[in-house]
């Protein structure tokens, strides 16, 4: 069994002999100006990467906590100060005792589509999703190549063989291909060799990425340990969250379209939600390349973070049909209180909208067929998730204080829709 990295004296900006009392030099320098735009993110991230979030030097954590307590005194634009606040929220989750899946994945720092952003149309949400999706995956594959070729010392333990690196590159290309084509970057997929193709994709994505997007990628990689496979694990889960968020936006739009009597738009939105989940399905194959011994090594430090805490997945489920009482009172929804509040406040669902709509027979059939396609894809996702979890976990309990694979097996039986017999 691997043990956490320990704080040692070295060349890191925050290395020091009295780690429990010394203010890190980079932070000390920044405190002289307290300008949010100049916060030493790179130096802070270097220490988190050197030790893993689970073993970050107490001096750094204390310094970050003091900065958070004095955020009103920090200068800079509202956007810069907001970014710093969200970063500190993610960086300090473990010492705060609130480490969860959203903070592990730094979801508050990712530009995920949101159902409450009424100014964002589904088409715009899809484009934002596509950019983020390919950025996350190309970064994951780029890390694999950099590690294989000795260009990075990040997460040095248990490096994979070249054959596994090539397989991961191939699976990343498969998952990213639809979004790359929609973004007009399909030509980057031309090289037959997966490593060469990833290099081409990475260059094409870097060329269109803004400095803010590149910074987002840097700040959202906060592994708990120093083991190679955790990098891919985090990026894949983030990519899934992007797909869930887009699907939730599309389903929310479908509910509104049905309420307005626009069945063509409703069916189109449901199909777009189905496509988001279907196109993300190859990510399961990518996760399956993770070595079980590697997963078990860093999983030891992810207690408290579980996919059960996915807000966007619960939004999908609750936008399809209202969860029944036991489900709504279960840990699945207790862990996402904001979604639970939406349900209790009477959030409209596709089931509701379909029952209330006065549809012609052809329109009713079109909507039912779209719902059926979506339900089939979601149920397939649940089955695959359970199968992969059984392979990786066996009968171990989940890290989100659930029964692990037994919970996932039970969840497979939850109907997606209740108003449409063929759908769910």
């Amino acid at each position: 069994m691997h043990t956490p990295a320990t704080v040692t004296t070295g060349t890191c900006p925050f290395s020091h002999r009295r780690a429990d009392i010394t203010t890190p030099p980079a932070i000390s320098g920044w405190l002289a100006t307290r300008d949010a735009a100049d916060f030493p993110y790179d130096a802070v991230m270097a220490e988190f990467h050197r030790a893993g979030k689970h073993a970050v030097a107490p001096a750094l954590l204390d310094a970050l906590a003091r900065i958070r307590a004095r955020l009103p005194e920090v200068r800079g634009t509202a956007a810069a100060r907001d970014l710093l606040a969200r970063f500190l929220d993610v960086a300090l989750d473990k010492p705060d005792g609130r480490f969860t899946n959203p903070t592990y994945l730094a979801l508050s720092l990712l530009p995920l589509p949101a159902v409450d952003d009424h100014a964002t149309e589904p088409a715009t949400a899809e484009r934002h999703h596509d950019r983020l999706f390919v950025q996350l995956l190309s970064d994951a594959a780029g890390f694999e190549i950099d590690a294989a070729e000795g260009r990075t010392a990040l997460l040095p333990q248990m490096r994979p063989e070249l054959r596994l690196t090539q397989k991961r590159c191939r699976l990343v290309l498969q998952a990213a291909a639809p979004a790359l084509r929609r973004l007009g970057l399909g030509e980057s997929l031309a090289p037959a060799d997966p490593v060469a193709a990833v290099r081409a994709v990475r260059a094409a994505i870097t060329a269109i990425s803004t400095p803010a997007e590149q910074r987002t990628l840097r700040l959202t990689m906060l592994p708990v340990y120093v083991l190679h496979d955790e990098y891919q694990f985090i990026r894949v889960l983030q990519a899934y969250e992007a797909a869930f968020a887009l699907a939730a936006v599309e389903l929310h739009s479908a509910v509104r379209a049905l309420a307005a009597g626009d069945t063509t738009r409703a069916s189109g939105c449901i199909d777009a939600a189905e496509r988001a989940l279907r196109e993300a399905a190859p990510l399961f194959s990518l996760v399956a390349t993770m070595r079980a011994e590697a997963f078990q090594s860093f999983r030891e430090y992810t207690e408290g973070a579980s996919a059960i805490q996915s807000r966007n997945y619960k939004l999908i489920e609750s936008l399809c049909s209202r969860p029944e009482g036991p489900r709504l009172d279960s840990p699945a929804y207790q862990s996402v209180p904001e979604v639970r509040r939406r349900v209790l406040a009477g959030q409209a669902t596709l089931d509701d909208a379909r029952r209330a709509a006065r549809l012609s027979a052809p329109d009713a059939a079109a909507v039912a067929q779209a719902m059926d396609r979506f339900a089939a894809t979601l149920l397939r996702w649940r089955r695959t998730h359970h199968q992969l979890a059984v392979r990786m976990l066996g009968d171990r309990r989940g890290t989100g204080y659930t029964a692990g694979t037994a919970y996932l097996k039970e969840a497979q039986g939850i109907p997606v829709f209740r108003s449409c017999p063929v759908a769910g």
Side-chain angles (χ1 to χ4, degrees), residues 59-381:
L60 174 55
L61 296 176
D62 180 67
L64 295 178
R66 285 186 280 115
I67 290 170
R68 181 178 58 182
R70 301 176 68 177
L71 275 176
E73 302 173 16
V74 173
R75 299 187 299 110
T77 65
R81 288 187 285 113
D82 177 65
L83 174 64
L84 178 57
R86 286 183 285 121
F87 175 76
L88 293 175
D89 179 72
V90 167
L92 293 170
D93 58 351
K94 274 187 170 279
D96 285 349
R98 51 177 182 77
F99 177 72
T100 60
N101 202 57
T103 60
Y104 176 44
L105 301 181
L107 297 185
S108 65
L109 294 170
L110 290 174
L112 298 175
V115 297
D116 293 322
D117 185 359
H118 299 298
T120 301
E121 288 296 314
T124 303
E126 181 179 68
R127 185 166 183 83
H128 288 170
H129 157 272
D130 286 350
R131 288 180 70 93
L132 177 60
F133 194 78
V134 299
Q135 286 165 348
L136 292 169
L137 292 185
S138 68
D139 182 68
F143 172 71
E144 295 292 330
I145 295 173
D146 288 346
E149 297 178 351
R151 287 195 299 272
T152 180
L154 177 60
L155 307 189
Q157 291 194 14
M158 295 186 68
R159 293 287 197 220
E161 296 179 352
L162 179 59
R163 182 173 55 183
L164 182 53
T165 297
Q166 294 169 332
K167 181 178 182 178
R168 288 175 174 175
C169 286
R170 185 171 62 254
L171 291 170
V172 161
L173 295 169
Q174 180 184 350
L180 284 168
R181 294 190 178 102
R182 284 193 293 270
L183 292 170
L185 302 176
E187 68 279 1
S188 62
L189 296 164
D193 174 60
V195 173
V198 164
R199 287 198 181 98
V201 166
R202 197 180 186 188
I205 293 171
T206 299
I208 68 166
S209 296
T210 66
E213 288 173 327
Q214 293 172 9
R215 180 182 61 193
T216 292
L217 285 179
R218 292 196 303 273
L219 298 188
T220 54
M221 179 49 61
L222 289 163
V224 296
Y225 191 43
V226 291
L227 201 147
H228 178 95
D229 282 9
E230 191 181 358
Y231 198 105
Q232 175 188 266
F233 183 68
I234 289 174
R235 287 303 191 218
V236 167
L237 295 187
Q238 290 169 335
Y240 257 126
E241 286 294 330
F244 293 156
L246 176 59
V249 167
E250 295 285 4
L251 293 176
H252 188 249
S253 296
V255 171
R256 289 187 292 164
L258 269 180
D262 189 344
T263 55
T264 300
R265 179 176 172 82
S267 296
C269 288
I270 296 169
D271 280 339
E274 185 275 334
R275 183 173 64 245
L277 294 186
R278 174 167 38 84
E279 289 183 355
L283 296 179
F284 277 123
S285 297
L286 190 56
V287 175
T289 68
M290 184 167 55
R291 296 154 294 177
E293 63 273 22
F295 179 56
Q296 293 303 331
S297 293
F298 71 77
R299 184 177 180 268
E300 180 179 349
Y301 309 113
T302 62
E303 186 66 47
S306 169
I308 194 177
Q309 297 154 347
S310 172
R311 174 183 183 273
N312 287 302
Y313 179 81
K314 295 304 188 305
L315 273 174
I316 289 173
E317 182 180 291
S318 64
L319 283 165
C320 290
S321 61
R322 180 185 170 92
E324 294 185 337
R327 174 70 170 167
L328 195 57
D329 292 333
S330 72
Y333 277 86
Q334 296 288 355
S335 65
V336 285
E338 67 278 21
V339 179
R340 188 171 184 272
R341 285 193 295 269
R342 293 174 70 103
V343 174
L344 293 174
Q347 172 183 259
T349 69
L350 276 171
D351 268 348
D352 298 331
R354 183 177 181 276
R355 290 191 190 101
R358 297 181 178 180
L359 306 178
S360 66
D363 285 346
V367 171
Q369 288 166 7
M371 292 170 69
D372 189 43
R373 288 189 290 270
F374 179 83
T377 296
L378 183 59
L379 290 171
R380 188 160 52 249
W381 187 93

